[in-house]
């Protein structure tokens, strides 16, 4: 942790006394004998008197931002340079600013839990501290009007290579990885944990880990679990360690918690301070989420092939223009001693294009995929200037238009990505969803009057699994007295070319005879959902093992031998005899 502390001391400390006090404050909570390791030594921490964390960390033991708050407090006059536009012209440290939607989500979660679990005493500043460490407040508040992240925020692949080993639990629905899980969204839930703790924080009927309102309420619910009272230090520490079982993580979160309790202010969405150890990165797993483990070596571990597709731009104004980074004033305390004073940006020569003059599609503009899968290729465009040369760094917004269940990686309908050095920008992976039909993906240049590019996309129905044979699991005769039901389940297996097949639709019909397979109007029957007798069932499918167990079969009042016929799409046919005997007179 020393390298990160020393960086902050150089930046903000005025005297060695202040530096010593800060070091003492940051290390005071660390009990003797506790080892600050990647995931911590659980036995050592328990021997040191620390409570054991929950078995499954919220973020899967992923990497996190290690930036520390300034050593000065945000409410201390003269502690930072004046920021224009703040009430009363007060001096407020930029790090104390929290994006509007993110701040609203934290406060909404606190209010909801105050009502549903008042004994927890959850302060919204704790959610803010965790949100700062996990995602840099949703990448500086890069969320849409509903609080959903504009582009996916993903942690590193949890494949055991420098991080925990957590195999895929969501089929890649949230994190786009069907082999291993990744932490997702502004509060960095792994999909398996979101399945248990996901909440609907904004009342839209959905539980989306990419939505700050949903994620904040879910995080708060977890922190309050198990009867915790977060005003008790031991409960507070255990709750934080449940997110990431690391003493350094605990210290980092607690430092931001204390900082935010001393005062914060609201800033516009997209204008939050990005973490210094990841300001230019994309999703959390793309090198922008410093590890804080083993000297920060996790900083580059999460880089993946789709890094460019998920890279976020710098904060922008309402017109989509990039907001320049303020140049620190000499002597303001914001510059690093020994570093050269940044030079003002050079004015481009007259006639230099300010942005792309045209967007063109790269590759096919017609895309298709099967329901439940993902598109083999993502929409891609190239930005060029008036001279036809590629424009790097232009922001391209991809939007999904139309009635469809398709979503970009992270389950969002829109995503903004920058063009690379060759002028191209590739949309995040496109998930087909279950709804079939056509929709449109539109690419537009943010802040530029440029004709959009549209891609026609189609989601096709899944092919119907077929079976060429049906067989009973046993050959037991099915006999029962009239007015009752046949004992024991009737289970069959569907196979195709000798292999058991899952998801095969099966139709069960009571027929008059094998020679004249008309639907019968008497004899054994099933019950439908309303409890009414029916002699044909169509909503039947084999399970993952290729088996199907039929519902209870009632005998009816007629005696004799009857025939039940089972059929499949692939041409399989199985007839089962049902014998109804005279009811017992007694």
């Amino acid at each position: 942790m020393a390298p990160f502390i020393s960086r902050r001391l150089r930046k903000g400390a005025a005297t060695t006394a202040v530096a010593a006090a800060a070091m003492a404050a940051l290390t005071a909570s660390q009990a003797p004998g506790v080892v600050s390791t990647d995931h911590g030594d659980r036995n050592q921490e328990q021997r040191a008197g620390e409570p054991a964390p929950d078995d499954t960390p919220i973020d899967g033991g992923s990497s996190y931002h290690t930036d520390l708050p300034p050593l000065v407090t945000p409410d201390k006059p003269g502690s930072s340079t004046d920021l224009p536009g703040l009430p009363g012209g007060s001096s407020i440290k930029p790090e104390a600013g929290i994006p509007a939607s993110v701040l609203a989500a934290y406060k909404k979660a606190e209010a909801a839990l105050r009502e549903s679990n008042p004994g927890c005493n959850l302060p919204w500043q704790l959610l803010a501290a965790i949100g700062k460490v996990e995602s840099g407040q949703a990448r500086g508040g890069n969320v849409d009007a509903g609080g959903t992240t504009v582009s996916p925020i993903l942690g590193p692949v949890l494949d055991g290579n420098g991080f925990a080993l957590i195999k895929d639990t969501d089929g890649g629905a949230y994190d786009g990885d069907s082999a291993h899980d990744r932490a997702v969204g502004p509060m960095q839930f792994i999909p398996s944990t979101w399945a248990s703790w996901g909440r609907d924080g904004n009342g839209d009927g959905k539980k989306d880990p990419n939505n700050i309102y949903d994620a904040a309420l879910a995080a708060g619910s977890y922190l309050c679990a198990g009867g915790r009272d977060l005003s008790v230090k031991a409960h507070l520490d255990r709750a934080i360690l449940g997110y990431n079982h690391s003493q350094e993580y605990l210290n980092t979160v607690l430092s931001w918690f204390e900082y935010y309790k001393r005062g914060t202010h609201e800033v516009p969405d997209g204008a939050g301070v990005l973490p210094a150890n990841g300001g230019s990165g994309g999703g959390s797993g793309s090198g922008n989420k410093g590890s804080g483990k083993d000297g920060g070596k996790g900083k580059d571990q999460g880089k993946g092939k789709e890094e460019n597709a998920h890279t976020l731009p710098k904060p922008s104004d309402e017109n989509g223009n990039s907001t320049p980074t303020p140049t620190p004033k000499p002597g303001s305390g914001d510059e690093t001693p020994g570093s050269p004073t940044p030079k003002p940006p050079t004015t481009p020569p007259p006639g230099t294009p300010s942005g792309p003059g045209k967007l063109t599609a790269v590759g096919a503009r017609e895309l298709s995929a099967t329901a439940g899968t993902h598109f083999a290729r993502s929409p891609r465009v190239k930005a060029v200037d008036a001279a036809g040369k590629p424009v790097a760094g232009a922001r391209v917004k991809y939007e999904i238009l139309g009635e469809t269940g398709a979503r970009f990686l992270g389950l969002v309908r829109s995503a903004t990505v920058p063009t690379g050095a060759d002028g191209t920008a590739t949309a995040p992976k496109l998930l087909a969803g279950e709804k079939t039909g056509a929709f449109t993906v539109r690419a537009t240049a943010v802040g530029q009057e440029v004709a959009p590019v549209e891609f026609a996309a189609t989601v096709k129905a899944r092919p119907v699994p077929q079976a060429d044979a049906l067989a009973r699991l046993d050959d037991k005769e099915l006999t029962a007295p009239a007015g009752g039901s046949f004992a024991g389940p009737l289970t069959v297996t569907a196979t195709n070319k000798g292999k058991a097949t899952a998801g095969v639709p099966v139709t069960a019909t009571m027929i008059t005879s094998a020679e004249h397979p008309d639907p019968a109007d008497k004899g054994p029957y099933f019950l439908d959902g309303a409890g009414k007798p029916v002699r044909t069932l169509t909503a039947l499918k084999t399970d993952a093992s290729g088996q199907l167990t039929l519902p209870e079969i009632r005998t009816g009042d007629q005696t004799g031998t009857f025939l039940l016929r089972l059929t499949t799409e692939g041409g399989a046919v199985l007839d089962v005899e049902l014998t109804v005997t005279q009811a017992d007179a007694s």
Side-chain angles (χ1 to χ4, degrees):
M1 188 168 177
F4 304 104
I5 294 177
S6 64
R7 174 168 53 79
R8 284 298 181 190
L9 296 182
R10 288 194 302 270
K11 181 176 179 180
T15 66
T16 55
V18 174
M23 180 68 76
L26 287 173
T27 58
S29 63
Q30 186 165 341
V34 177
V35 179
S36 296
T37 61
D38 195 351
H39 302 293
D41 182 328
R42 185 166 301 187
N43 293 328
Q44 279 188 301
E45 295 204 1
Q46 290 177 3
R47 288 197 300 270
E50 295 290 329
D54 287 353
D55 289 337
T56 304
I58 289 290
D59 69 0
S62 187
S63 56
Y64 55 87
H65 294 301
T66 57
D67 284 28
L68 296 175
L71 295 177
V72 290
T73 59
D75 56 352
K76 183 178 178 181
S79 62
S80 69
T81 57
D82 290 338
L83 299 179
L86 295 175
S90 60
S91 296
I92 302 180
K93 201 69 178 173
E95 288 87 343
I98 299 178
S101 293
V102 178
L103 181 60
Y106 296 151
K107 292 184 176 181
K108 185 178 177 67
E110 179 197 58
L113 287 162
R114 186 189 306 121
E115 181 176 347
S116 64
N117 191 353
C120 173
N121 295 307
L122 170 75
W124 66 261
Q125 292 91 341
L126 177 58
L127 294 175
I130 292 174
K132 176 71 174 180
V133 172
E134 290 291 335
S135 70
Q137 307 298 20
R139 303 296 297 131
N142 195 28
V143 298
D144 62 20
T148 300
T149 56
V150 174
S151 292
I153 300 178
L154 298 173
V157 177
L158 299 176
D159 58 2
N161 183 20
F163 300 101
L165 173 60
I166 302 180
K167 294 186 177 180
D168 175 65
T169 60
D170 66 333
Y174 289 119
D175 54 20
D177 192 325
S178 58
H180 299 90
D181 272 349
R182 301 175 70 174
V184 178
M187 301 302 280
Q188 289 289 274
F189 278 82
I190 54 175
S192 58
T193 310
W194 182 258
S196 299
W197 292 101
R199 298 290 187 270
D200 177 13
N202 58 358
D204 65 354
K206 302 176 183 178
K207 298 177 182 179
D208 183 1
N210 300 286
N211 183 276
I212 185 58
Y213 291 94
D214 294 358
L217 182 58
S221 299
Y222 170 80
L223 294 169
C224 289
R228 292 177 183 139
D229 179 355
L230 298 180
S231 64
V232 177
K233 182 65 165 63
H235 291 199
L236 175 66
D237 287 358
R238 182 178 182 184
I240 296 171
L241 286 170
Y243 238 102
N244 193 310
H245 191 206
S246 160
Q247 186 67 38
E248 186 175 344
Y249 179 87
L250 173 64
N251 290 346
T252 305
V253 170
L254 288 175
S255 68
W256 281 107
F257 179 39
E258 292 301 322
Y259 181 73
Y260 286 139
K261 285 198 299 183
R262 293 189 178 99
T264 62
H265 61 276
E266 178 184 300
V267 298
D269 289 344
V273 175
L274 294 178
N277 60 340
S280 63
S284 295
S286 299
N288 70 337
K289 198 178 180 192
S291 172
K293 308 163 189 170
D294 300 325
K297 69 182 181 181
K299 182 176 180 181
D300 297 321
Q301 297 230 15
K303 291 185 178 180
K305 294 180 180 179
E306 293 186 312
E307 179 180 355
N308 290 336
H310 300 150
T311 299
L312 301 181
K314 295 181 180 180
S316 59
D317 61 23
E318 60 183 3
N319 295 319
N321 298 317
S322 179
T323 303
T325 302
T327 301
K329 299 177 181 178
S332 67
D334 286 338
E335 74 276 14
T336 302
S339 62
T341 302
K343 297 180 180 180
T346 303
T347 303
T352 300
S354 59
K358 184 179 181 181
L359 290 180
T360 59
V362 177
R365 294 177 63 171
E366 295 184 357
L367 313 172
S368 65
T370 301
T373 66
H374 61 81
F375 286 78
R377 61 176 297 272
S378 296
R380 189 181 185 193
V381 298
K382 183 174 184 178
V384 296
D385 60 18
K389 296 181 178 179
V391 177
R395 299 176 65 203
V396 176
K397 182 177 183 180
Y398 287 97
E399 297 176 275
I400 296 174
L401 308 177
E403 295 295 327
T404 178
R407 295 292 185 271
F408 291 120
L409 179 64
L411 301 184
V412 296
R413 292 187 69 104
S414 65
T416 301
V417 296
T419 56
D422 61 352
T424 63
T426 304
K429 183 181 293 185
L430 188 57
L431 310 177
E434 296 295 339
K435 184 179 178 64
T436 60
F439 64 96
T440 300
V441 177
R442 176 180 295 167
T444 55
V446 177
Q448 302 292 327
E449 294 294 332
V450 177
V453 175
E454 294 188 346
F455 297 81
T458 304
V459 177
K460 302 176 181 178
R462 297 172 185 260
V464 178
Q466 298 187 352
D468 55 20
L470 285 169
R472 290 182 57 186
L473 288 190
D474 58 58
D475 56 0
K476 180 181 177 180
E477 292 185 1
L478 297 176
T479 303
S485 60
F486 291 92
L490 172 57
T491 302
V492 298
T493 300
T495 58
N496 192 41
K497 297 180 180 179
K499 184 178 180 180
T501 308
V504 176
V506 178
T507 299
T509 307
M510 302 295 177
I511 60 175
T512 55
S513 67
E515 296 77 16
H516 302 90
D518 299 321
D521 58 1
K522 61 181 180 180
Y525 60 88
F526 302 102
L527 293 178
D528 65 11
K532 296 181 179 180
V534 294
R535 291 187 169 86
T536 299
L537 292 178
T538 57
L540 303 173
K541 285 186 178 181
T542 58
D543 62 17
S545 62
Q547 295 183 357
L548 168 66
T549 298
L550 272 68
E552 179 185 31
I553 303 174
R554 301 293 182 92
T555 60
D557 297 328
Q558 301 288 326
T559 61
T561 299
F562 301 89
L563 208 58
L564 168 63
R565 173 163 288 183
L566 305 176
T567 59
T568 72
E569 277 287 331
V573 178
L574 175 65
D575 290 340
V576 180
E577 284 192 353
L578 304 173
T579 302
V580 181
T581 60
Q582 190 70 36
D584 189 350
S586 61

